[in-house]
Amino acid sequence: MQLFTQLQQRNKSRSNGKGILTKTVQCLKCADAPCQKSCPTNLDIKSFITSIANKNYYGAAKMILSDNPLGLTCGMVCPTSDLCVGGCNLYATEEGPINIGGLQQFATEVFKAMNIPQIRSPSLPPPEDMPEAYQAKIALLGAGPASLSCATFLARLGYSDITIFEKQEYLGGLSMSEIPQFRLPYDVVNFEAELMKDLGVKIIFRKGLAVDGMTLHTLKEDGYKAVFIGIGLPEPNRDSIFQGLRMNQGFYTSKDFLPLVAMASKPGMCACHSPLPSIHGTVIVLGAGDTAFDCATSALRCGARRVFVVFRKGFTHIRAVPEEMELAKEEKCEFLPFLSPRKVVLKGGQIVAMEFVRTEQDSDGNWREDEDQVVRLKADVVISAFGSILSDNKVREALAPIKFNRWGLPEVDPETMQTSEPWVFAGGDVGGVANTTVESVNDGKQASWYMHRYIQSLYGVAVSTVPELPLFYTPIDLVDISVEMAGLKFPNPFGLASATPATSSSMIRRAFEAGWGFAVTKTFSLDKDIVTNVSPRIVRGTTSGPLYGPGQGSFLNIELISEKTAAYWCRSITELKADFPNHVLIASIMCSYNREDWTELSKMAEVAGADALELNLSCPHGMGERGMGLACGQDPELVRNICRWVRQAVHIPFFAKLTPNVTDIVKIGVAAQEGGADGVTATNTVSGLMGLKADSTPWPAVGRGLRTTYGGMSGNAIRPIALRAVSAIARALPGFPILATGGIDSAEAGLQFLHSGASVLQVCSAIQNQDFTVIDDYCTGLRALLYLKSIEELEDWDGQSPATMCHQKGKPVPRIADLMGKKLPSFGPYLEQRKKIIAENKIKLKAQNMAAVLPEKKHFVPKKPIPAIKDVIGKALQYIGTYGDLCNTEQVVALIDEEMCINCGKCYMTCNDSGYQAIQFDPETHLPTVTDSCTGCTLCLSVCPVIDCIRMVSRTTPYEPKRGLPLAVNPAH
């Protein structure tokens, strides 16, 4: 059994954080994402990949589970190459498509580890206050993917009396019984079922159609208003040549073999504790679908010496997804095409061989069998995987009076999933259309809405034909992230910076509709100071290296303030405030050093209805040459006076926007406070020259003369500068409101600024990289970060990232030194030795029959108060001080995890040529070793390509610096 529980063979199903984050950067987050349209459940793939890229794994899982309640299962077994990955626009590039299934699995696995329950939509009334229709009894037959999906959505809609009847003693249907443990572990399906049960869905085992007299008629008599049939296709499609053959003779159907494998290898599935089927010698698997390849790879794990996968047509007609075929190929299965089974050869009552005839395709495309070409293959075991049917007459009788089609399956409307009986719905394999788990999930999802419409119609309530299914919710979604600052109430701390995302009124409107908490208008001036921009003027940065597309680490712009008039902006402010009274709208204004101008413009904005003003004293290019922006913001006296003029002119709050292009930004912040400002914005862009081409011309280059000027750099490349500015002002002016901007591209980055003393957060470059929809990710991410702080069991997590396990390629590995007493690297012949040792260890564990038992489900609950935004503002300031505050007696040294090390030698190279020569590199094994010379500088950790392979641990011996020559005098203490 341990072979199944420990071998996670599918490469896409295991990855570490670094590999995952690297893949998310490649995703283009396309405008009209074809990957989403290629997904049967219509997953918002662009959005969940955005959340993963921002390390908001809860936000990604929420997005996934909202559309697909079996999101983890589908992430592991979905035929993505035929669906979402097949539609990826990156197929047209050198990089190739995104591994969407692997990303989906990663996010949902991290959420699974959070161990947080699903809850009903916060918008629903309590169950006891729901209308009578929502107490209607609903039955679902079979606990497979279609039923689990349907029940989940019905429960999210508010129905409280939902029962699933399952004739087996386990749930999950074919996903549980016919997909092996190494592809789909039991605890994955159990996790998704537990989320469903969190909503009150009941499951009754050992009861189903034709069991103890249950029929559609008896269900109706028992008061069930609607029924969903999701029983799958329980009987194998057995070829006539196999009639009479039994398992003890060496013959299995996939319906015999895979459930035996599952029950033996999936701890918790049943209480039988049965052994794996005893397979030996040569195995022939008949079929070319996913099930056939599951049989083949499982047969190897059950002891088969050789496995042949035999199919009637050629390789181009294989129905299995490429991933499954490649897995079987990697595991040394043999493929034999163009063979049709004719006869099973028995000797002493046991299978010893099979005879086949050759198949060929004629010029008309028809397949014919050539009886003159006979092939005989020796075999000890034959496994038939020729599909499934519904042939049990008792079950068919129990389904009366619904009508059946010519394939012997219930007639189902593909749109509503209704059968010939309006109160009976069906989906999954028994519906006759779904061929995969994800398609079965979508059948259940689709049926849930039309079951909802049907039930509501019984009570005289009309429901739209356009589905409006509730999303996935947990207690995280109840966390309040509103914040109050300077007398203003912000629904969330994220807003548009005064930049390109706020270029027009319509853009701000769309941002508010998307969920942004506030917006600062593009800076506008009096008509006498109106500007006209040049082009090109906004270019990608070079700080991220050769990265093209979204995810730029920086931008450089030479764009000036708004080209629109003050009258336009004042009218826009009035209209926006009328339509969005609960959103904060801040008017950004700029004038030269002239009291009358500042007075006039600030009063215009106040009269228009702006909630507050932002005084742009910091534009680093163009405007300074006109005596505006930077020209005013670098002098504390000018800042103080401008703030005094505005304070005398208006009653609404105002904030001075500071420039980082000064020696001491704190002095400017103090001047703004002394002038009466209610707070400051820190900071504007950093002045810079982005780059020069090989022919010495700049970019951006304007006009025929190819001229440029110093522009403003933005993006996460300037985040350290902005964090320094925010924390320095917060330390100098405790309690003084700060609007942070400069590299805020995720909830995690936003939390850093809140910890540094900011109250609200302005965003620009991240929107330039994508669009307004990132606000959903920021809000769910911040809620999750706050909520997880209250969970004691997750104290070793870094935000939403779990502690890193010892792994190779994301798969957990034992310590070789513990198994054989010496160290081994991970390349060349050493890698083969490692594989052999690990395999022997697994066989040893298997012999010990260490059966795993699933722990009783118990959700993590907050044991500490969930912090509000105000509780985290400035929390990091206690750790920031002068260099003299730092301790030079408590030293650390590097510790390398040799099992995670990939033997690249980067730590040795940087230490040798840029550090303290404290790492030795074995020329034969390539294993690095840290010596006593380590000074704890941390360069090695900084360049190591494997997350947490190197850790800094406390030094156990006194640190004695190497002075080169003896000291002439003793240092002062």
Side-chain angles (χ1 to χ4, degrees):
M1 180 173 66
Q2 291 299 313
L3 270 145
F4 282 85
T5 58
Q6 292 189 21
L7 282 177
Q8 302 295 328
Q9 290 289 355
R10 207 170 186 189
N11 284 339
K12 84 165 191 178
S13 71
R14 290 287 179 188
S15 185
N16 57 38
K18 175 180 177 288
I20 286 293
L21 294 175
T22 300
K23 293 167 188 170
T24 61
V25 171
Q26 296 173 358
C27 178
L28 302 178
K29 290 88 177 177
C30 305
D32 189 20
C35 55
Q36 180 172 350
K37 293 182 176 180
S38 303
C39 174
T41 59
N42 200 37
L43 274 186
D44 189 349
I45 295 169
K46 173 182 78 171
S47 294
F48 88 65
I49 292 181
T50 294
S51 291
I52 296 173
N54 291 335
K55 295 199 280 190
N56 176 16
Y57 306 126
Y58 170 72
K62 175 181 172 67
M63 197 70 65
I64 293 164
L65 296 170
S66 288
D67 282 320
N68 183 344
L70 276 68
L72 180 49
T73 289
C74 290
M76 300 182 80
V77 304
C78 206
T80 55
S81 57
D82 289 344
L83 299 171
C84 54
V85 173
C88 180
N89 282 330
L90 283 173
Y91 252 121
T93 67
E94 294 175 353
E95 296 94 326
I98 299 296
N99 178 9
I100 296 171
L103 297 177
Q104 180 174 327
Q105 179 186 344
F106 179 82
T108 43
E109 280 190 328
V110 174
F111 170 70
K112 176 172 172 279
M114 293 180 185
N115 198 17
I116 296 170
Q118 181 175 194
I119 62 172
R120 299 165 77 247
S121 169
S123 64
L124 289 176
E128 59 273 14
D129 295 336
M130 294 288 289
E132 181 186 359
Y134 290 89
Q135 275 80 50
K137 293 178 70 175
I138 303 173
L140 297 98
L141 306 176
S147 292
L148 295 179
S149 172
C150 186
T152 297
F153 282 111
L154 287 168
R156 289 180 189 173
L157 283 163
Y159 291 94
S160 56
D161 195 350
I162 305 169
T163 306
I164 297 178
F165 297 98
E166 170 54 58
K167 70 177 182 179
Q168 304 293 347
E169 60 182 32
Y170 54 83
L171 46 74
L174 303 189
S175 294
M176 182 67 78
S177 64
E178 296 192 20
I179 300 181
Q181 170 78 0
F182 65 89
R183 282 189 60 209
L184 183 63
Y186 171 81
D187 69 315
V188 168
V189 180
N190 188 64
F191 156 71
E192 292 162 336
E194 289 295 328
L195 286 178
M196 177 192 71
K197 291 194 282 186
D198 289 339
L199 299 177
V201 176
K202 302 178 287 291
I203 302 178
I204 298 176
F205 294 105
R206 296 185 174 279
K207 191 166 185 179
L209 275 177
V211 177
D212 297 332
M214 178 184 283
T215 65
L216 291 181
H217 180 70
T218 61
L219 287 171
K220 196 161 194 176
E221 287 183 340
D222 290 340
Y224 287 94
K225 300 295 184 183
V227 171
F228 178 81
I229 304 170
I231 59 175
L233 298 176
E235 289 85 37
N237 185 13
R238 183 188 288 248
D239 195 287
S240 59
I241 66 172
F242 302 122
Q243 295 302 322
L245 291 177
R246 301 181 305 277
M247 287 187 283
N248 59 8
Q249 294 176 289
F251 175 76
Y252 297 83
T253 68
S254 60
K255 294 284 184 183
D256 302 324
F257 180 66
L258 290 176
L260 290 174
V261 171
M263 285 187 285
S265 64
K266 294 190 174 186
M269 178 175 166
C270 65
C272 58
H273 300 297
S274 58
L276 286 169
S278 179
I279 302 294
H280 62 279
T282 301
V283 175
I284 292 177
V285 178
L286 303 173
D290 292 333
T291 300
F293 288 101
D294 282 340
C295 290
T297 51
S298 295
L300 285 171
R301 288 166 171 75
C302 291
R305 183 173 57 85
R306 297 185 71 186
V307 174
F308 293 96
V309 181
V310 183
F311 40 96
R312 290 187 173 100
K313 299 179 182 179
F315 284 96
T316 57
H317 294 85
I318 287 179
R319 291 182 291 108
V321 296
E323 296 96 325
E324 303 314 320
M325 183 177 171
E326 284 302 313
L327 176 60
K329 183 179 176 183
E330 288 174 13
E331 300 197 352
K332 312 304 182 189
C333 292
E334 306 286 351
F335 302 151
L336 296 176
F338 306 114
L339 295 178
S340 180
R342 268 292 172 270
K343 180 182 177 182
V344 179
V345 181
L346 300 176
K347 187 174 182 179
Q350 297 293 313
I351 292 175
V352 295
M354 272 200 73
E355 289 186 0
F356 300 85
V357 293
R358 183 80 173 174
T359 62
E360 295 177 347
Q361 193 172 21
D362 62 23
S363 58
D364 296 327
N366 299 314
W367 286 91
R368 304 186 183 283
E369 297 178 350
D370 186 351
E371 301 289 348
D372 294 331
Q373 297 187 69
V374 179
V375 176
R376 181 178 174 124
L377 296 176
K378 291 183 179 180
D380 300 288
V381 176
V382 173
I383 303 174
S384 169
F386 284 151
S388 308
I389 55 175
L390 178 62
S391 60
D392 189 327
N393 288 328
K394 290 183 179 179
V395 172
R396 294 171 65 88
E397 290 170 4
L399 289 172
I402 66 172
K403 297 178 181 178
F404 290 81
N405 58 28
R406 61 192 175 114
W407 296 285
L409 301 177
E411 286 187 358
V412 178
D413 184 317
E415 178 66 25
T416 65
M417 310 310 294
Q418 262 177 316
T419 66
S420 57
E421 293 295 305
W423 69 289
V424 180
F425 299 75
D429 287 347
V430 78
V433 177
N435 292 313
T436 61
T437 299
V438 70
E439 289 170 323
S440 295
V441 170
N442 194 57
D443 280 359
K445 177 181 180 179
Q446 200 163 324
S448 69
W449 182 254
Y450 289 98
M451 292 174 76
H452 170 56
R453 288 190 74 220
Y454 172 77
I455 293 170
Q456 293 300 313
S457 70
L458 299 179
Y459 293 83
V461 179
V463 175
S464 169
T465 56
V466 179
E468 298 175 11
L469 293 168
L471 303 179
F472 174 82
Y473 292 97
T474 74
I476 288 176
D477 298 296
L478 304 180
V479 174
D480 181 13
I481 57 171
S482 64
V483 61
E484 291 190 24
M485 182 194 72
L488 302 173
K489 178 71 177 286
F490 296 77
N492 64 66
F494 299 102
L496 305 186
S498 175
T500 51
T503 294
S504 67
S505 172
S506 62
M507 293 172 71
I508 295 175
R509 179 177 297 276
R510 285 192 288 111
F512 283 166
E513 291 169 347
W516 291 85
F518 71 99
V520 186
T521 70
K522 193 92 160 72
T523 302
F524 58 93
S525 66
L526 295 171
D527 287 357
K528 68 187 183 70
D529 295 318
I530 203 74
V531 302
T532 300
N533 278 303
V534 298
S535 63
R537 61 181 180 273
I538 305 173
V539 300
R540 63 177 286 272
T542 56
T543 56
S544 298
L547 173 67
Y548 296 88
Q552 294 300 320
S554 63
F555 292 91
L556 183 124
N557 82 87
I558 52 174
E559 179 162 296
L560 302 178
I561 62 175
S562 177
E563 296 176 320
K564 294 180 170 58
T565 64
Y568 166 87
W569 278 113
C570 288
R571 186 181 67 185
S572 297
I573 290 168
T574 302
E575 293 172 351
L576 287 167
K577 283 305 299 179
D579 294 339
F580 301 95
N582 297 323
H583 289 69
V584 175
L585 186 57
I586 302 173
S588 177
I589 60 176
M590 179 187 287
C591 300
S592 61
Y593 188 65
N594 182 296
R595 179 170 187 162
E596 287 73 23
D597 289 354
W598 282 106
T599 300
E600 179 184 355
L601 193 55
S602 60
K603 283 186 174 181
M604 284 176 62
E606 182 179 40
V607 171
D611 294 300
L613 306 177
E614 183 178 85
L615 314 185
N616 189 334
L617 307 175
S618 50
C619 184
H621 49 269
M623 303 311 296
E625 300 167 19
R626 301 173 177 222
M628 305 166 75
L630 188 73
C632 298
Q634 289 182 320
D635 187 328
E637 186 61 29
L638 301 187
V639 171
R640 187 180 298 109
N641 288 337
I642 292 171
C643 290
R644 284 173 178 165
W645 299 337
V646 175
R647 179 73 294 153
Q648 292 167 10
V650 300
H651 297 92
I652 58 175
F654 72 88
F655 313 99
K657 187 168 187 178
L658 309 185
T659 174
N661 303 299
V662 291
T663 303
D664 188 355
I665 197 170
V666 172
K667 291 181 180 178
I668 309 298
V670 170
Q673 184 187 50
E674 292 172 348
D678 295 274
V680 293
T681 297
T683 66
N684 208 322
T685 54
V686 176
S687 183
L689 180 66
M690 188 51 75
L692 301 171
K693 298 182 180 180
D695 63 359
S696 80
T697 58
W699 183 248
V702 178
R704 296 188 185 90
L706 302 179
R707 302 281 294 178
T708 196
T709 187
Y710 300 118
M713 191 170 77
S714 62
N716 60 36
I718 71 164
R719 187 189 302 156
I721 298 170
L723 281 170
R724 192 264 182 197
V726 169
S727 60
I729 295 169
R731 290 178 64 230
L733 304 172
F736 192 48
I738 302 173
L739 296 82
T741 182
I744 299 168
D745 59 2
S746 65
E748 186 179 66
L751 185 60
Q752 292 181 47
F753 280 92
L754 294 173
H755 281 158
S756 296
S759 297
V760 294
L761 312 163
Q762 298 183 18
V763 181
C764 169
S765 294
I767 301 172
Q768 291 179 163
N769 266 316
Q770 192 160 334
D771 56 20
F772 288 139
T773 62
V774 294
I775 184 59
D776 287 333
D777 168 66
Y778 295 177
C779 289
T780 58
L782 185 57
R783 288 189 178 99
L785 289 168
L786 295 174
Y787 184 87
L788 296 183
K789 288 177 181 288
S790 67
I791 306 294
E792 290 184 353
E793 291 87 346
L794 305 180
E795 284 183 340
D796 62 339
W797 284 38
D798 179 13
Q800 294 191 52
S801 300
T804 305
M805 63 181 177
C806 181
H807 68 88
Q808 279 282 359
K809 293 185 179 179
K811 301 176 185 178
V813 292
R815 296 197 172 276
I816 298 297
D818 295 340
L819 298 180
M820 63 174 297
K822 70 175 184 178
K823 305 169 185 175
L824 281 179
S826 300
F827 70 94
Y830 300 109
L831 181 58
E832 295 304 315
Q833 290 183 50
R834 288 179 67 92
K835 288 180 179 178
K836 183 177 179 180
I837 293 166
I838 292 171
E840 290 172 350
N841 182 57
K842 288 174 179 174
I843 293 172
K844 180 180 178 182
L845 291 174
K846 177 188 175 186
Q848 295 172 359
N849 195 26
M850 297 167 58
V853 179
L854 287 180
E856 182 182 352
K857 185 68 175 178
K858 191 173 182 181
H859 293 300
F860 296 156
V861 295
K863 295 185 176 65
K864 297 181 289 187
I866 300 169
I869 297 293
K870 62 180 178 61
D871 300 323
V872 300
I873 293 175
K875 191 175 179 182
L877 298 180
Q878 60 183 314
Y879 303 111
I880 302 171
T882 65
Y883 189 87
D885 296 331
L886 307 182
C887 177
N888 64 7
T889 59
E890 298 173 2
Q891 300 278 348
V892 296
V893 293
L895 179 65
I896 300 173
D897 188 320
E898 290 163 344
E899 299 304 327
M900 294 171 66
C901 178
I902 61 174
N903 316 114
C904 65
K906 295 305 296 182
C907 55
Y908 161 75
M909 294 163 67
T910 192
C911 185
N912 200 46
D913 289 357
S914 304
Y916 297 85
Q917 300 79 52
I919 296 179
Q920 294 178 347
F921 189 67
D922 190 298
E924 181 178 340
T925 65
H926 295 184
L927 287 171
T929 305
V930 180
T931 69
D932 291 339
S933 300
C934 179
T935 67
C937 74
T938 321
L939 256 179
C940 56
L941 183 151
S942 301
V943 301
C944 179
V946 180
I947 294 176
D948 290 340
C949 177
I950 300 178
R951 293 181 294 121
M952 306 308 294
V953 299
S954 296
R955 188 183 187 94
T956 57
T957 58
Y959 173 57
E960 297 181 3
K962 294 182 178 179
R963 303 296 185 185
L965 292 173
L967 291 169
V969 295
N970 291 325
H973 294 286

